[in-house]
Each structure stands twice: as structure tokens, then as C-alpha cells.
Amino acid sequence: MSNDREPTDDSAHELRVSKIRDGTVIDHVRGGQALNVLAILDIDGTRGEEVSVGMNVPSDRFARKDIVKVEGRELSQDEVDVLSLIAPDATINIVREYEVVGKHRVERPETVDGVLSCPNPGCITTGDEPVTSRFEVLEDGVRCVYCGTIVRENIASLIET
């Protein structure tokens, strides 16, 4: 049955996403970055993960924000470090039994090791040598400490799988 009436109160503007029992809520992600967050977490839906994503929802801090809720998983520090590169204002909420038991903002590390691939085909980390990648975190991107290549966009595409 269709209801053609417009709601008359502010309830029509509320974000309604179900709570998670146990897991992680990544809030205050800049609008349009949720799919990159999923790439960082290696979530593509093929392994049956329960994930809720809100994209470009209204925010008091930004004009628009994204929210990612992942059931049954708490993020590793490496995941949070890489996440901070594309979502420097994100808040990580740890949920257990439907209650937030921990909440913190991401902090950008000085370097990230072994989680990004250098896009420079001539870099020592992309050859046959067993050299682990290392990137210095800049204000607006990352720089390979071995070859100096700077990446400012599409950092999520460099994530080693």
C-alpha cells in the first residue's frame, strides 16, 4: 500500500541504519570515501561479511560524510594506519553487545610499512629483492622512502593484498 503523504516532522531526515552487535563503526569518513575504506579492509562482499555503508549522509562536521559498520571485526592497527591516509578525520568505534566500548580518532602515523605498493616500476620494492615497502606519510599523501615517488591520489589502489 502506497502512502503519498510527505512526513511532516524531522523523522524523515534521520539516518536509519541498524545497530551492530559486535564489531567496528568507522564514522566521519569524508563523503565518497566509503568504498575506499572497504578496499583497505579487503571487504568485497564475497566472504559474507555483514557491512552497512552510509554514503554522503548529512554531517555536522562536514557537509557530507560516509559511515561504515563492520559486524564481527575489530580493526588492526595497520588497517587503522592506512585508513588514516584516506580518512584523516575518521572516528573508530568498537562495539560489543550493542554498546560502544571504545572510541578514538584515527592518528596518522609517520610511516606505513608493508601495506602499500610503490607505483614506480623501477623502485627496489617492486623487483625481485625481498624489500618491504615503506612510505613516509605527508600532509597530503605519501612518499616512498626508497625511490621518492609521491602519491597524492588513489592511495587505496596501492594497498597490498
Side-chain angles (χ1 to χ4, degrees):
M1 183 165 148
S2 163
N3 182 352
D4 294 332
R5 294 184 327 157
E6 291 292 318
T8 57
D9 61 14
D10 287 335
S11 66
H13 302 288
E14 292 177 13
L15 176 64
R16 295 185 183 170
V17 178
S18 63
K19 288 184 173 188
I20 61 174
R21 180 179 186 146
D22 297 297
T24 304
V25 177
I26 306 159
D27 197 0
H28 302 107
V29 176
R30 292 194 179 162
Q33 292 296 314
L35 297 180
N36 287 331
V37 168
L38 294 176
I40 287 170
L41 301 178
D42 194 28
I43 294 173
D44 62 8
T46 62
R47 290 179 297 281
E49 302 97 337
E50 290 184 38
V51 178
S52 299
V53 176
M55 295 181 74
N56 292 309
V57 297
S59 168
D60 292 334
R61 284 169 79 187
F62 312 115
R64 298 281 175 183
K65 70 175 181 179
D66 291 355
I67 302 168
V68 178
K69 295 182 176 189
V70 184
E71 180 72 42
R73 180 166 168 192
E74 293 184 18
L75 304 186
S76 71
Q77 189 58 53
D78 283 345
E79 290 172 321
V80 173
D81 287 349
V82 177
L83 180 66
S84 74
L85 302 177
I86 65 157
D89 302 304
T91 303
I92 306 295
N93 299 292
I94 304 301
V95 178
R96 295 189 188 128
E97 291 298 323
Y98 300 104
E99 298 294 326
V100 174
V101 298
K103 182 175 187 170
H104 66 276
R105 285 192 170 177
V106 298
E107 294 183 21
R108 293 176 69 122
E110 292 182 19
T111 61
V112 290
D113 299 329
V115 292
L116 301 175
S117 299
C118 184
N120 176 0
C123 181
I124 192 169
T125 63
T126 60
D128 293 332
E129 299 294 323
V131 178
T132 301
S133 67
R134 179 173 218 180
F135 286 84
E136 176 185 2
V137 177
L138 309 173
E139 189 171 316
D140 62 344
V142 293
R143 175 179 32 236
C144 176
V145 299
Y146 297 105
C147 70
T149 298
I150 296 174
V151 180
R152 290 191 170 88
E153 296 179 1
N154 299 323
I155 293 172
S157 69
L158 301 178
I159 297 167
E160 293 181 352
T161 54

